[in-house]
Amino acid sequence: MSQSPYLKALSSTTVQMTDPSTSRIRTLSSIPPVSTYTFSHVFEGSDQSTFFVRSALPLVQSLLEGENGLLFAYGVTNSGKTYSIQGGRDQGEAGILPRTLDVIFNSIEGSHSTRPLKPRGLGSIELVESEEGTSAEEFHTREERASAMIDQVFGEGDVLSLSYDDADGTALPIDKNYEYAVWVSYVEVYNEKIFDLLSGVDSLNSNDLPRSQTISGAMSSYANLAALASSTNSGSTATGPAVTLHRRALGLKNSPDGLGKYVHGLREVRVRNAQEAKAVLRIGIVNRRVFGTLSNAVSSRSHAIFTLKLAKIHRGAAPGELSEEDVSVSRLSVVDLAGSERARNAGTSRIGEGDRLREAGSINKSLMVLGQCLEAMRTNQKRLAAVGSALSAKEGLKPGLMEKPKLAIVPFRHSKITELFQDFFIGEGRAVMIININPYDTGFDENAHVMRFAALARE
């Protein structure tokens, strides 16, 4: 642990990183010993409320107005991402997600739609005879029954630290000519495969555990799952039967509304208040912890994506039918990107060094592709801007007579993360990237790469 931080804020928008190493080997490194980075805002010692207002509240306002939003949180392990997104247990420590849920439901209070609806693709909804799937009330009831057991097994760590009591009272203005419906979903991308965190496991190859099903079955068998996870943590399964976790990976399909790609087969749960939404969020967090513990005794490093989908239905719409003019659907996704630590810094576990390297390789690949997409988009923006400047300089020259610039290919399909959010990269909606840095961590090189990645995203 460094005795003094190697990162300091020079202003409200600028930070400086200084390599704490005194080794002469640093002269061979491609990373400069002192670097300065500029951001939209630097938060140093800010409370959670101030942080939320500056970083995520504008996205919530846009969501209520019908615009899509995307928030990335990026940083190495132990940099504070979980605290930023989920928050802590103490009063005033609620993170971005619980505050977002509070603000949305504060804002639409009294304007909830009672129509039986379900999402279709990315940006559509449709009427159904009766709402399908597990209701949010069931999630909340099961979550309450499971909370005491879960805390006993896993401890009261940050991963389960959502507090219902710490609510944000902010309410934003909305269009009262509409009624609103909200759905939430939660997935993780692990080894370039997408898994639903609101559905249970397909099977476990142990005779001691039931073969599970859906979230209903998964919750009813949490005692067995959690006990197995606990014994995996403690090492008591070393001589016991090997357990293999089987989950069904979900694929991406083109949305029927032509807006991009969506996760086919994903469970989207309709929620009617912040308490229901937080219960569903907590079940997803628990599932991620259980799945991660069963597959990896130390940690399962994956990208996690929590998405809110908001439908606005005009109050004048006929009860039994919906037209495109009457409905608009927007979504807000909060993405917790796994860190890109080197394999030797990522820890060890009983899953084996080969699996650990594969896990780290998948994470690094997805982050590399994300960087390549950002780089290609920056290149294309510069080329298009150059053509625009040339047209302005040559008044009277028709645009068709100008040679079209050769645009770089943006490799969206090379990674699940970039493929899933392709519509954001081409200008549909607003995007924010939060960078978490622990200035006392000894991983200067890893954090330097994080900062360079952030600088590229900002451009």
Side-chain angles (χ1 to χ4, degrees):
M1 187 74 70
S2 301
Q3 296 300 315
S4 59
Y6 54 70
L7 181 143
K8 66 177 181 179
L10 301 179
S11 70
S12 61
T13 59
T14 307
V15 297
Q16 182 182 79
M17 284 187 68
T18 304
D19 187 356
S21 173
T22 58
S23 172
R24 307 290 281 182
I25 299 178
R26 294 298 310 170
T27 58
L28 302 178
S29 173
S30 61
I31 301 174
V34 179
S35 300
T36 301
Y37 301 92
T38 301
F39 298 90
S40 301
H41 192 80
V42 175
F43 298 90
E44 185 182 25
S46 299
D47 57 42
Q48 290 279 54
S49 177
T50 302
F51 177 63
F52 170 73
V53 169
R54 292 296 301 266
S55 62
L57 189 59
L59 294 179
V60 178
Q61 179 69 72
S62 296
L63 177 74
L64 293 170
E65 294 173 352
E67 186 178 4
N68 295 329
L70 174 62
L71 187 147
F72 282 116
Y74 184 44
V76 300
T77 299
N78 296 324
S79 61
K81 286 184 300 175
T82 298
Y83 182 78
S84 296
I85 295 175
Q86 297 176 19
R89 288 182 178 273
D90 295 335
Q91 189 68 27
E93 290 189 347
I96 286 174
L97 274 180
R99 288 179 185 274
T100 295
L101 296 172
D102 286 334
V103 174
I104 288 174
F105 285 102
N106 290 343
S107 304
I108 65 174
E109 180 67 29
S111 298
H112 293 277
S113 174
T114 58
R115 302 169 191 252
L117 305 165
K118 71 174 183 179
R120 178 174 177 265
L122 274 184
S124 302
I125 58 172
E126 59 187 8
L127 290 165
V128 292
E129 293 185 4
S130 62
E131 292 188 56
E132 303 171 356
T134 306
S135 68
E137 290 86 348
E138 288 183 70
F139 273 87
H140 183 55
T141 301
R142 293 193 180 95
E143 190 274 336
E144 286 186 328
R145 291 202 304 262
S147 289
M149 179 274 298
I150 292 165
D151 285 338
Q152 182 179 3
V153 172
F154 291 118
E156 297 184 358
D158 289 340
V159 74
L160 300 176
S161 61
L162 283 175
S163 170
Y164 293 146
D165 299 328
D166 187 14
D168 191 312
T170 305
L172 299 173
I174 62 169
D175 189 338
K176 295 294 187 178
N177 292 315
Y178 290 84
E179 54 189 39
Y180 298 80
V182 181
W183 291 265
V184 296
S185 60
Y186 203 1
V187 303
E188 68 173 345
V189 180
Y190 180 68
N191 281 343
E192 284 298 299
K193 293 182 180 179
I194 301 174
F195 299 100
D196 190 348
L197 290 173
L198 300 182
S199 292
V201 295
D202 285 341
S203 64
L204 291 150
N205 72 339
S206 169
N207 294 328
D208 297 330
L209 295 175
R211 292 188 176 273
S212 178
Q213 337 96 313
T214 64
I215 191 67
S216 305
M219 284 303 300
S220 65
S221 61
Y222 252 148
N224 288 333
L225 283 170
L228 177 62
S230 178
S231 63
T232 303
N233 275 335
S234 64
S236 60
T237 58
T239 57
V243 176
T244 302
L245 178 68
H246 295 286
R247 288 191 289 167
R248 182 170 62 93
L250 303 180
L252 295 177
K253 285 194 172 183
N254 291 320
S255 181
D257 46 35
L259 297 177
K261 293 193 174 182
Y262 72 103
V263 182
H264 181 65
L266 176 66
R267 173 162 294 185
E268 298 180 287
V269 181
R270 187 171 182 178
V271 289
R272 292 174 174 80
N273 55 59
Q275 190 175 35
E276 287 183 357
K278 289 178 184 179
V280 177
L281 170 60
R282 184 178 168 102
I283 290 300
I285 294 172
V286 170
N287 268 333
R288 191 182 184 202
R289 179 69 181 270
V290 171
F291 294 145
T293 304
L294 291 177
S295 63
N296 173 357
V298 172
S299 66
S300 180
R301 294 165 59 229
S302 61
H303 308 302
I305 306 168
F306 185 85
T307 299
L308 296 107
K309 188 171 287 186
L310 178 76
K312 298 171 57 177
I313 305 98
H314 198 277
R315 293 184 183 276
E321 60 182 43
L322 292 175
S323 65
E324 291 185 4
E325 293 76 18
D326 295 326
V327 178
S328 69
V329 178
S330 54
R331 70 189 194 279
L332 172 60
S333 294
V334 178
V335 185
D336 181 356
L337 291 171
S340 59
E341 294 93 329
R342 296 175 181 177
R344 70 169 181 266
N345 295 333
T348 58
S349 71
R350 285 189 293 277
I351 65 171
E353 184 178 353
D355 289 334
R356 171 63 75 181
L357 290 173
R358 177 171 173 243
E359 178 186 275
S362 294
I363 291 170
N364 290 337
K365 174 194 172 184
S366 60
L367 294 173
M368 180 187 68
V369 172
L370 178 56
Q372 290 173 342
C373 288
L374 294 173
E375 180 69 40
M377 290 169 60
R378 183 180 66 170
T379 299
N380 291 341
Q381 288 172 353
K382 289 183 177 179
R383 291 175 180 174
L384 291 172
V387 171
S389 298
L391 283 172
S392 299
K394 300 180 180 180
E395 296 182 5
L397 183 62
K398 294 182 179 180
L401 299 178
M402 287 288 295
E403 183 178 352
K404 292 183 179 180
K406 185 177 181 181
L407 300 181
I409 296 176
V410 184
F412 295 119
R413 294 185 179 181
H414 292 182
S415 168
K416 288 292 190 293
I417 286 286
T418 50
E419 189 174 13
L420 181 58
F421 295 114
Q422 177 177 343
D423 54 323
F424 285 95
F425 291 111
I426 58 177
E428 294 293 331
R430 302 179 61 181
V432 170
M433 179 170 285
I434 295 172
I435 303 299
N436 290 86
I437 297 290
N438 180 351
Y440 295 93
D441 196 294
T442 55
F444 174 82
D445 286 359
E446 285 79 3
N447 277 321
H449 285 299
V450 169
M451 299 295 273
R452 293 167 69 178
F453 184 90
L456 175 63
R458 184 174 185 272
E459 293 181 13

